[in-house]
Amino acid sequence: MAGGDASGSKYGGYESSMPKLPDLPPETNSSPMDLLRVPCKVKSVIVKGNKRTKRALIEAQVAKALQAGTYEELALELDSVNDNLQSLDMFKKTVCEIDVAADGSSDEVNIAVEVSSSAASQPCSC
């Protein structure tokens, strides 16, 4: 078997563990930008690093992104979420990521929002 191993996997068994990207819309002239128009729906929101900030504050910023219907809309909304969280001056760093479903068979995605508190929001050691 050319390019594979005895198990039939192209990459020695690793290929099946990778999430499958969503299928592009059925158009004859598909480009990489067409992937942005693929439908998606948010399955869950995962918030990491919020030691002092209430989860509800972060979820309120993410609420509009939950209504996104395509990857493009979701990416634009998460960019806005990131800007809004940064403008609160509560976080040193904020990162918003889109995670496709592990099985890759549906249009469901998870949103991961990771924050780290800024020095200004730390308790004073006076």
Side-chain angles (χ1 to χ4, degrees):
M1 180 183 273
D5 62 13
S7 69
S9 174
K10 186 175 181 181
Y11 301 105
Y14 295 108
E15 183 176 44
S16 62
S17 66
M18 297 294 293
K20 181 183 163 233
L21 290 175
D23 295 325
L24 289 173
E27 297 174 5
T28 56
N29 297 327
S30 294
S31 74
M33 294 303 291
D34 290 334
L35 184 58
L36 294 174
R37 291 186 216 107
V38 172
C40 70
K41 56 185 166 194
V42 178
K43 178 181 175 185
S44 67
V45 176
I46 301 159
V47 179
K48 303 175 195 172
N50 58 321
K51 293 180 178 135
R52 300 194 63 204
T53 307
K54 293 196 182 235
R55 181 181 168 97
L57 176 88
I58 297 168
E59 287 178 341
Q61 298 297 320
V62 177
K64 191 172 177 191
L66 301 177
Q67 305 306 314
T70 65
Y71 280 92
E72 180 177 29
E73 292 170 3
L74 184 55
L76 291 171
E77 287 299 331
L78 289 180
D79 186 52
S80 178
V81 167
N82 197 46
D83 289 345
N84 291 343
L85 289 171
Q86 286 289 332
S87 72
L88 295 173
D89 288 332
M90 297 173 66
F91 306 108
K92 177 173 38 176
K93 179 180 170 186
T94 61
V95 177
C96 299
E97 296 178 336
I98 302 170
D99 210 5
V100 293
D103 63 3
S105 63
S106 70
D107 59 353
E108 292 181 335
V109 297
N110 300 317
I111 296 175
V113 180
E114 186 171 355
V115 297
S116 60
S117 298
S118 70
S121 67
Q122 298 295 327
C124 179
S125 60
C126 306

